[in-house]
Amino acid sequence: MNYNVNEKGYYGEFGGAYIPEMLYPNVEELHQNYLKIMAEPDFKKEFDQLLKDYVGRPSPLYFAKRLSEKYSTKIYLKREDLNHTGAHKINNTIGQILMAKRLGKTRIIAETGAGQHGVATATVCALMGLECIVYMGEIDIARQAPNVARMKMLGTTVVPALSGSRTLKDATNEAIRDWINNPVNTHYIIGSAIGPHPYPDMVTRFQSVISEEIKWQLKEQEGREKPHYVVACIGGGSNAAGTYYHFLHENDVNIIAVEAAGLGVDSGESAATSVLGKEGIIHGCKTLLMQTPDGQITEPYSISAGLDYPGVGPMHAHLAKTGRAEFMSITDADAMKAGLALCKLEGIIPAIESSHALAIFEHKTFKPEDIVVVSLSGRGDKDLETYINYFKL
Amino acid sequence: MNRINKKLQGDKKLLSIYFTAGYPSLTDTVTIIQNLEKSGVDMIEIGLPFSDPLADGPTIQASSTQALKNGMTTEILFKQLKDIRKTVSIPLIIMGYFNPILQYGVEAFCKKCQEIGIDGLIIPDLPVGVYNDEYKATFETYGLINIFLITPQTSEARIHFIDSISNGFIYMVSSASVTGSQSGFGDPQTAYFERIAAMDLKNPQIIGFGISDNKTFTQATKYAKGAIIGSAFIKHITNNGIEDIPTFARQFNN
Ligand SMILES: Cc1ncc(COP(=O)(O)O)c(C=O)c1O
């Protein structure tokens, strides 16, 4: 079984590029060039250098001793929260901004939900001196004020998405419309492993540095490259794709994908796409998607804005369908509890997205000798208000 | 012969109108179609509303959102159109995004279209390559013409390819934009219109996106076989209701 993208842009039956003709030249230009550009020695050199000196990579692989004791297994945290700007998102935006420059683009657009990808994009645009416009749902602008302020300080224009439900899905629609309106000078930096081919593959490759590091870091600490489990939360699936990438074809490495159940998978307020979704087309790719029987895309819900997306990247749809990954759904309540527990046990305040991945230990038992690597995709600074309100701190 | 092909044969410049089914009210669909035909419109694009219309500007987005709120579904649209061929004879095209069609089942959808007397489909997010590899045979079985889009950025080679697999007209998107965003055509557009006209394609071209008044209609039909009006018509029925369609149609010298 192949879990990587094939030459037509599909992961099994999922993926492809279901885009209006207006976007064809842009997407085709990227398709024709992305692998070539990524293979250029000076691209690699610049990417690696920026990841090291600017982002602060490698991010530590930290053995969480007290957490491990609590659950009687060996838990390692991959500390993407320690990256510049506070999440894994910057790995992708560094890669894409270098790509955009080599394609001669002068204007950058992006969508954002929680604002983490927006901040990561605004950051690299400031770094490279490129114009940056970020689309963000009107509702998210109101609930993620600190990240809106960060983007503005970094010189980015934040445009409210006023259509539909005014959240991440609609911000993505607006970014795509902007790209249709500006086909020549603009590059669209998609923030997750979603969108038309080659985006899911390109984003996955930029994020694959996560599992590349896990291999040698684990070798140093445990004398083996392969953990028994890799665990990550899934919104669109970029931190997960990066965490799994180098283990996809290692069948003795178990993959766990953690989705947001919201108020409960059957509550009507959920974002557990692998359970509630059906094959369909969203934002240019065929994947699992929450929709009405009539094919209208429905509104997901999660307390974490970064997991509040009605689809999942096509690679993950394939991992779900083939059974290569075990999918788990974690409610708001369980995620919040796991987040607070990490604060108390390890002195780390996680992003609520990442807290979903941490919550699996309450639901699944591991053997004492199992090595479980969890992607701690981001830090909780952006979520302080949500934590404070939730726990009445 | 398919009604679209027949309509394309004459010398007349064609006026084609897009509207969103289920807007302003759920049950307006048939009345709008009948009034458009009575007003001398040559061809109609019936919009199947979608929650996430990527290629549309604010006007069509808002009409789609409202139509869905009103309760429009694929099933209801087909029910409304069941007897449409008893009263309407001009070509009817359904324009919709791919996901609702995929959920209905592509073959079942095409079959239903044939039963009703739909002549063609425009599916902006169904790529040419996927259509050609996976769905062409089905469309042909049910006598449906699939209409492809080209834009100012479409390469010459790709235009020739699209022309070779088309058998009705080519939908020429007037400029690099979503629907409804132009106020007039400048030099870059006329240069593009001239360039395409000079390519001497097998299929006639009909220009859409940003046609809003007689001026833009006349500019477009100077180079092309016809023009499609969408957002401007939706605005008209939003402001004036669905009875006063002849006044709208009369402003175009087609
Ligand atoms: C910290 C963090 N983790 C995870 C995600 C989810 O995105 P993805 O599934 O692409 O990793 C986000 C998105 O905003 C995020 O900010």
Side-chain angles (χ1 to χ4, degrees):
Chain A
M1 185 68 75
N2 176 27
Y3 300 105
N4 287 326
V5 78
N6 68 21
E7 76 278 10
K8 287 189 120 180
Y10 286 83
Y11 300 84
E13 66 201 86
F14 302 107
Y18 293 81
I19 45 166
E21 187 61 30
M22 293 79 116
L23 289 179
Y24 180 84
N26 287 337
V27 172
E28 185 59 17
E29 180 185 33
L30 197 59
H31 180 205
Q32 292 301 332
N33 291 291
Y34 82 110
L35 290 176
K36 211 164 53 196
I37 291 176
M38 284 177 78
E40 283 166 9
D42 73 299
F43 180 93
K44 278 189 167 157
K45 191 165 158 231
E46 201 177 349
F47 182 58
D48 292 346
Q49 190 86 46
L50 282 169
L51 287 186
K52 176 167 171 281
D53 299 334
Y54 188 72
V55 175
R57 301 203 74 91
S59 69
L61 182 69
Y62 165 68
F63 176 63
K65 187 159 170 287
R66 297 187 66 207
L67 192 67
S68 297
E69 277 164 11
K70 179 170 179 193
Y71 293 108
S72 310
T73 191
K74 287 179 161 177
I75 304 173
Y76 282 84
L77 302 177
K78 182 58 175 161
R79 299 290 308 274
E80 294 302 298
D81 61 314
L82 294 176
N83 291 341
H84 180 41
T85 72
H88 66 293
K89 298 285 181 187
I90 191 108
N91 303 329
N92 171 44
T93 60
I94 293 270
Q96 285 205 48
I97 200 82
L98 297 178
M99 182 70 61
K101 280 189 75 170
R102 279 162 178 78
L103 292 171
K105 307 292 177 180
T106 54
R107 180 176 175 275
I108 300 296
I109 56 172
E111 85 295 339
T112 197
Q116 286 307 102
H117 174 60
V119 168
T121 306
T123 298
V124 296
C125 287
L127 181 68
M128 297 295 166
L130 293 182
E131 184 189 359
C132 181
I133 294 108
V134 171
Y135 290 88
M136 188 169 186
E138 199 182 26
I139 290 178
D140 291 334
I141 288 183
R143 62 182 177 181
Q144 305 287 340
N147 273 344
V148 176
R150 281 187 191 103
M151 287 186 267
K152 286 184 178 161
M153 283 186 73
L154 292 161
T156 282
T157 307
V158 180
V159 181
L162 305 172
S163 59
S165 58
R166 294 169 292 145
T167 57
L168 177 58
K169 159 176 97 71
D170 311 284
T172 309
N173 290 341
E174 289 304 331
I176 292 174
R177 290 183 186 117
D178 179 306
W179 211 18
I180 289 175
N181 289 333
N182 298 282
V184 180
N185 65 346
T186 298
H187 176 73
Y188 177 19
I189 300 192
I190 292 184
S192 193
I194 57 164
H197 180 66
Y199 275 103
D201 185 49
M202 179 171 71
V203 174
T204 297
R205 284 168 189 264
F206 288 140
Q207 291 291 1
S208 69
V209 62
I210 299 173
S211 47
E212 195 181 302
E213 289 173 2
I214 291 172
K215 279 171 68 177
W216 64 256
Q217 289 172 320
L218 203 60
K219 177 92 183 165
E220 274 183 11
Q221 297 182 57
E222 290 281 344
R224 53 183 289 163
E225 286 193 341
K226 290 190 274 181
H228 298 91
Y229 291 88
V230 280
V231 184
C233 68
I234 298 208
S238 66
N239 90 87
T243 303
Y244 307 157
Y245 188 76
H246 289 284
F247 304 116
L248 283 172
H249 298 96
E250 307 287 355
N251 286 332
D252 47 350
V253 179
N254 297 291
I255 294 175
I256 298 179
V258 187
E259 293 182 312
L263 300 183
V265 169
D266 300 318
S267 67
E269 299 291 333
S270 178
T273 309
S274 73
V275 185
L276 301 169
K278 206 175 152 264
E279 185 178 323
I281 287 161
I282 182 170
H283 298 138
C285 80
K286 189 182 269 185
T287 187
L288 292 173
L289 157 66
M290 289 167 59
Q291 53 185 314
T292 66
D294 206 39
Q296 309 296 340
I297 299 172
T298 51
E299 277 315 312
Y301 163 80
S302 164
I303 193 168
S304 114
L307 304 184
D308 203 353
Y309 185 69
V312 55
M315 173 175 141
H316 301 294
H318 184 53
L319 295 178
K321 178 109 184 190
T322 55
R324 173 67 182 95
E326 176 185 356
F327 276 68
M328 296 178 70
S329 328
I330 294 294
T331 60
D332 287 0
D334 286 352
M336 295 304 279
K337 218 162 57 190
L340 195 60
L342 191 75
C343 301
K344 301 270 155 75
L345 280 173
E346 298 288 350
I348 298 170
I349 303 176
I352 298 172
E353 289 82 4
S354 321
S355 299
H356 284 73
L358 295 164
I360 66 159
F361 295 103
E362 288 291 330
H363 297 273
K364 187 177 169 80
T365 310
F366 296 89
K367 293 198 217 88
E369 65 275 17
D370 280 345
I371 297 169
V372 185
V373 175
V374 181
S375 166
L376 196 68
S377 56
R379 71 177 86 126
D381 305 33
K382 71 181 176 63
D383 297 317
L384 284 188
E385 211 178 289
T386 311
Y387 277 123
I388 288 167
N389 292 338
Y390 190 88
F391 291 112
K392 315 250 178 313
L393 298 170
Chain B
M1 182 188 276
N2 186 298
R3 292 181 197 88
I4 296 172
N5 297 117
K6 208 176 297 167
K7 190 58 108 181
L8 290 164
Q9 280 178 342
D11 287 335
K12 195 177 176 222
K13 297 291 184 179
L14 304 180
L15 171 62
S16 188
I17 300 261
Y18 167 93
F19 76 99
T20 306
Y23 177 85
S25 299
L26 179 62
T27 53
D28 285 338
T29 314
V30 172
T31 314
I32 291 175
I33 294 172
Q34 289 172 339
N35 285 350
L36 283 169
E37 177 165 53
K38 277 185 213 142
S39 309
V41 167
D42 298 295
M43 190 153 67
I44 300 173
E45 273 104 48
I46 305 164
L48 176 64
F50 182 48
S51 54
D52 296 78
L54 290 180
D56 285 300
T59 305
I60 293 179
Q61 282 174 44
S63 68
S64 305
T65 305
Q66 187 59 46
L68 293 173
K69 271 200 193 124
N70 292 344
M72 183 51 85
T73 64
T74 310
E75 201 65 61
I76 291 175
L77 177 61
F78 283 144
K79 279 206 187 101
Q80 291 177 346
L81 295 177
K82 188 166 63 74
D83 294 323
I84 197 70
R85 283 304 174 197
K86 291 190 178 147
T87 55
V88 172
S89 61
I90 58 175
L92 298 175
I93 294 171
I94 290 183
M95 178 156 184
Y97 290 83
F98 192 40
N99 196 49
I101 298 172
L102 196 62
Q103 298 314 316
Y104 194 89
V106 175
E107 171 141 27
F109 191 93
C110 290
K111 187 158 179 275
K112 203 81 194 175
C113 285
Q114 185 187 44
E115 279 166 28
I116 290 166
I118 298 294
D119 305 291
L121 296 175
I122 303 175
I123 309 169
D125 59 342
L126 174 60
V128 181
V130 175
Y131 168 78
N132 212 31
D133 294 346
E134 295 177 37
Y135 301 114
K136 189 167 189 279
T138 309
F139 277 53
E140 285 173 1
T141 304
Y142 296 101
L144 291 170
I145 289 179
N146 193 30
I147 308 292
F148 298 108
L149 276 54
I150 63 168
T151 82
Q153 272 71 43
T154 311
S155 72
E156 201 171 307
R158 191 164 165 86
I159 294 173
H160 281 299
F161 171 63
I162 287 172
D163 189 39
S164 75
I165 64 165
S166 297
N167 66 348
F169 62 90
I170 290 175
Y171 191 141
M172 237 176 106
V173 176
S174 66
S175 28
S177 78
V178 293
T179 53
S181 34
Q182 296 291 305
S183 51
F185 295 132
D187 291 342
Q189 273 101 9
T190 41
Y192 159 61
F193 297 166
E194 275 171 14
R195 172 164 65 84
I196 303 300
M199 283 179 77
D200 211 13
L201 300 173
K202 165 177 88 116
N203 292 275
Q205 303 94 53
I206 298 192
I207 298 180
F209 288 40
I211 315 278
S212 57
D213 51 17
N214 190 44
K215 183 168 152 258
T216 40
F217 180 82
T218 309
Q219 272 182 303
T221 50
K222 187 174 164 205
Y223 302 96
K225 176 68 187 161
I228 301 171
I229 296 163
S231 300
F233 178 69
I234 307 259
K235 279 186 194 146
H236 174 82
I237 57 175
T238 302
N239 297 330
N240 306 289
I242 61 165
E243 296 306 327
D244 190 27
I245 289 176
T247 322
F248 181 81
R250 229 177 285 130
Q251 63 177 307
F252 304 100
N253 299 322
N254 64 310

